[in-house]
């Protein structure tokens, strides 16, 4: 077991003690990896590659036979238990053998159906075992990134940025959004990405006014905004970037909107530091966009944490406040969306430090206007 | 709204009446699509593109602003309701406006955390509203495929089969499992697949003895089993096929194992018909493999349903029985796994008919021995 993982387990055990639990069942895929190194993936929402059961003195990874070898080779320090009849049937026996009487579970991941089955099964043991819902125990640890996690994020980001440069080189009017999105994906995968952080967004002209655009067969034209939102996963960590470009000469509006978005992003970034309120940082960008004449044209939150998942805590949100801390990685991604015309969003990833934010993206100046 | 969807809603409403419910909240992504045509995707386990709320007289699609336009253009016949503060806060108002007093929910998809939040919120309305867990209401409808669904599955399968032929053409010793898996993915995506049914498995030599192998950097060699398990998604439906090949002359064991697996598959296929027991069909393959001298070398289930999800009901399982019905699509995928040597699995998709099984795969004879 690496010192990093053993340190995380120590913190998890402290959280157990604080919550008066003598066991925690970890079923969120990213949390399993974070605490064990086991990379088994839940392939559908109703399928699971297993659970960790962490007690003050024991570490168990319970999984099925498909993951036997992988679990043993990846999860150093864990006893691997293979369930044959499904976890629901075997959990009481496992928990009992570990002497657990009050077991925490992750209420965001366990379905109502699984919970009911577990609760029923655990009721049959004597003395009865209690299932206690927990929220964000491990997610709260994951919010603060180690230097190694920051380095992995930067590697994923560099890979994604290089893919973008490569795709921009081949960008031509007439290519469709779908074709360009696929070129981005190919460039990332062939550069060694283990996967995408999320499906690539390429949205052009009026389509770029949809913050959640899905690439279509629309061909790209000159003079209109073309929005890219993409990320690579590398060594388990996610990058997430947005850039908006135009081929050839844009209209006057493009310049005005682009400059407003970039200034909003940079002002918000300058407001980030340990101790700052996420809601305040969001407000810096939002107020600037509104006061520049784009009232109600920035509908989504300013940013979110990234890490093993592409969307995680904390949020930079106008409605829910979270305090920023040193070591958090967040996106800063304001946008202005004008129905019928299009939208511009510019997104960086930054790491929070004592005295400010360090931008993780390539620092070279970015010119959105592509020569054709 | 298409007649196909309106027919499905009619059946859903019959299920509501039977379960004494005056509303059903549908949150499983595939079920949402099945009943509305809405293709919004849940991008993480803790994110949702929305829910359908179906009552005896009303059809509502509740989602957030990101999906507004998409919901309105795809979900014909549905009233689209946009929630701004999250579904948890707005569900009571929506359900109340629909006059719902006993609302079913899908207990396999709703997390314990969401359930607790919904239950609490609904308790505040007067008269109080009851949340009732349901299981498989829509999944049971999805088990039986229409001709259109069978045709979509066959299209996905043909696309995936062509990609395989293309990749076999370029197969050479020295290529790694990862490289070949990526070639398979590229070939499917470039032929128009909207995605993969699941990550491509390419496993060679001893790695093929792992039923759940993940492609590695191991280079392929002549004379050893090379197992491919792959599927394409096209028009929302999934294909799923396994083929095992060898480059050049195999050892004697390959021929014996291969023939045993193919015979087991064909015997099991011949046992399929409406009314047959899934467990009996599984036993036909399992008994043949055991009696051929490979006791305990076939550890997983014989097959599973496919459709909008690649794993769905029914299962052909040695431990849980399900009755087969006309129109079900199932995989038939026996395998023999010999640790240290490798494994051979051969998988077809078939549709169940009154008097037998119709194999959906390309009927051309398959020769596993590739010339080099």
């Amino acid at each position: 077991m690496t010192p990093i993982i053993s340190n995380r387990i120590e913190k998890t055990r402290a959280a157990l003690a604080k919550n008066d639990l003598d066991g925690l069942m970890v079923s969120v895929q990213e949390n399993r990896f974070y605490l064990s190194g086991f990379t088994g993936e839940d392939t559908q929402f109703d399928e699971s590659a297993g659970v960790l059961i962490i007690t003050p003195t024991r570490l168990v990874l319970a999984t099925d036979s498909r993951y036997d070898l992988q679990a043993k080779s990846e999860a150093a320090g864990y006893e691997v238990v293979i369930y044959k009849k499904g976890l629901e049937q075997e959990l009481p026996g496992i928990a009992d053998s570990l002497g657990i009487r009050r077991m925490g579970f992750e209420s965001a991941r366990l379905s109502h159906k699984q919970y009911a089955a577990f609760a029923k099964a655990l009721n049959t043991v004597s003395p009865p075992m209690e299932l206690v819902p927990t929220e964000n125990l491990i997610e709260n640890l994951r919010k603060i990134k180690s230097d190694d996690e920051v380095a992995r994020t930067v590697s994923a980001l560099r890979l994604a940025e290089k893919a973008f440069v490569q795709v921009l080189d081949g960008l031509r009017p007439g290519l469709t959004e779908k074709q360009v999105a696929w070129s981005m994906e190919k460039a990332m995968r062939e550069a060694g990405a283990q996967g995408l952080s999320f499906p690539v967004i390429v949205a052009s002209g009026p389509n770029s006014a949809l913050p959640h655009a899905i690439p279509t067969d629309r061909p790209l034209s000159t003079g209109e905004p073309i929005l890219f939102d993409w990320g690579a996963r590398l060594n388990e960590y996610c990058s997430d970037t947005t850039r908006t470009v135009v081929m050839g000469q844009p209209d006057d509006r493009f310049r005005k909107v682009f400059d407003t978005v970039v200034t909003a992003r940079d002002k918000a970034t300058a407001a980030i530091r340990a101790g700052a309120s996420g809601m305040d940082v969001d407000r810096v960008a939002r107020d600037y966009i509104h006061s520049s004449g784009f009232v109600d044209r920035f509908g989504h939150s300013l940013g979110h944490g990234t890490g093993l998942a592409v969307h995680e805590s904390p949020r930079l949100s106008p409605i829910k406040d979270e305090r920023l801390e040193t070591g958090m990685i967040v996106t800063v991604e304001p946008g202005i969306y004008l129905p019928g015309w299009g939208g511009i969003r510019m997104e960086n990833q930054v790491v929070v430090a004592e005295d400010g934010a360090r931008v993780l993206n390539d620092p070279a100046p970015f010119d959105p206007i592509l020569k054709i």
Side-chain angles (χ1 to χ4, degrees), chain A:
Chain A
M1 178 174 299
T2 65
I4 290 180
I5 289 185
S6 107
N7 181 259
R8 292 170 182 167
I9 288 169
E10 208 171 293
K11 289 180 179 158
T12 303
R13 285 177 167 153
L16 285 187
K18 204 178 147 192
N19 289 275
D20 197 20
L21 299 169
D22 48 19
L24 177 68
M25 177 166 66
V26 178
S27 46
V28 171
Q29 174 175 309
E30 290 82 2
N31 295 348
R32 280 192 319 242
F33 172 77
Y34 189 77
L35 295 172
S36 73
F38 175 57
T39 61
E41 297 195 0
D42 303 342
T43 43
Q44 294 184 186
F45 77 88
D46 54 355
E47 295 182 353
S48 168
V51 299
L52 308 181
I53 301 178
I54 296 179
T55 81
T57 55
R58 303 273 291 275
L59 296 170
V60 168
L61 167 48
T63 183
D64 66 60
S65 61
R66 293 173 302 167
Y67 298 97
D68 190 355
L69 292 180
Q70 186 183 354
K72 284 171 182 154
S73 79
E74 291 180 340
Y78 276 79
E79 306 164 53
V80 174
V81 172
I82 302 300
Y83 45 79
K84 291 193 170 157
K85 294 177 197 156
L87 184 59
E88 284 163 22
Q89 286 204 45
E90 302 190 27
L91 185 64
I94 298 170
D96 199 40
S97 75
L98 296 170
I100 298 174
R101 286 279 138 331
R102 259 177 69 83
M103 180 159 73
F105 69 93
E106 301 180 306
S107 67
R109 181 66 180 101
L110 211 67
S111 70
H112 179 276
K113 179 181 167 183
Q114 290 171 303
Y115 171 78
F118 284 144
K120 194 175 155 193
L122 290 175
N123 231 345
T124 62
V125 301
S126 165
M129 215 171 282
E130 195 184 347
L131 272 179
V132 182
T134 70
E135 285 183 26
N136 298 323
L137 285 191
I138 312 304
E139 286 78 358
N140 283 342
L141 303 180
R142 280 171 47 200
K143 282 197 287 196
I144 311 296
K145 270 68 182 179
S146 65
D147 292 347
D148 173 63
E149 292 179 287
V150 174
R152 287 174 188 231
T153 304
V154 170
S155 301
L157 190 47
R158 288 293 169 274
L159 184 154
E161 288 173 328
K162 276 184 196 154
F164 181 57
V165 169
Q166 189 180 326
V167 167
L168 284 192
D169 269 352
L171 209 64
R172 299 285 176 270
L175 289 173
T176 67
E177 294 168 355
K178 270 189 189 167
Q179 286 171 329
V180 176
W182 172 238
S183 301
M184 290 284 286
E185 178 166 351
K186 257 196 312 196
M188 287 189 273
R189 297 285 296 277
E190 293 182 346
Q194 70 185 113
L196 305 182
S197 301
F198 53 88
V200 175
I201 295 176
V202 175
S204 63
N207 292 352
S208 57
L210 304 172
H212 180 70
I214 295 167
T216 71
D217 290 320
R218 185 180 191 276
L220 308 185
S221 292
T222 57
E224 62 183 18
I226 307 171
L227 185 154
F228 294 78
D229 191 348
W230 79 104
R233 279 182 71 213
L234 185 64
N235 296 319
E236 306 303 333
Y237 282 75
C238 294
S239 79
D240 186 1
T241 307
T242 307
R243 293 288 179 263
T244 308
V245 301
V246 63
M247 292 188 287
Q249 220 30 57
D251 57 17
D252 291 347
R253 189 181 251 181
F254 183 92
R255 195 78 253 180
K256 160 99 168 128
V257 176
F258 184 85
D259 290 344
T260 305
V261 168
V262 168
T263 304
R265 186 192 65 187
D266 295 345
K267 279 177 178 288
T269 304
I272 291 175
R273 60 177 44 76
S277 129
M279 209 188 255
D280 287 347
V281 174
D282 177 283
R283 191 179 301 120
V284 169
R286 203 167 300 278
D287 284 354
Y288 181 75
I289 287 173
H290 288 186
S291 70
S292 303
F294 300 103
V295 177
D296 285 342
R297 298 308 191 190
F298 171 34
H300 56 77
S301 295
L302 180 66
H304 55 84
T306 69
L308 293 170
V310 70
H311 293 150
E312 53 182 60
S313 289
R315 312 276 155 169
L316 305 176
S317 152
I319 52 175
K320 190 176 164 245
D321 203 14
E322 291 190 74
R323 195 63 51 179
L324 298 180
E325 296 174 56
T326 298
M328 289 178 166
I329 295 179
V330 293
T331 68
V332 183
E333 49 177 311
I336 294 176
Y337 308 95
L338 305 174
W341 178 79
I344 293 180
R345 180 166 67 249
M346 293 291 287
E347 174 187 24
N348 282 339
Q349 282 175 294
V350 311
V351 59
V352 179
E354 209 50 56
D355 54 349
R358 179 160 68 87
V359 176
L360 300 179
N361 297 67
D362 182 349
F366 177 73
D367 181 1
I369 299 176
L370 308 178
K371 292 198 182 67
I372 45 165

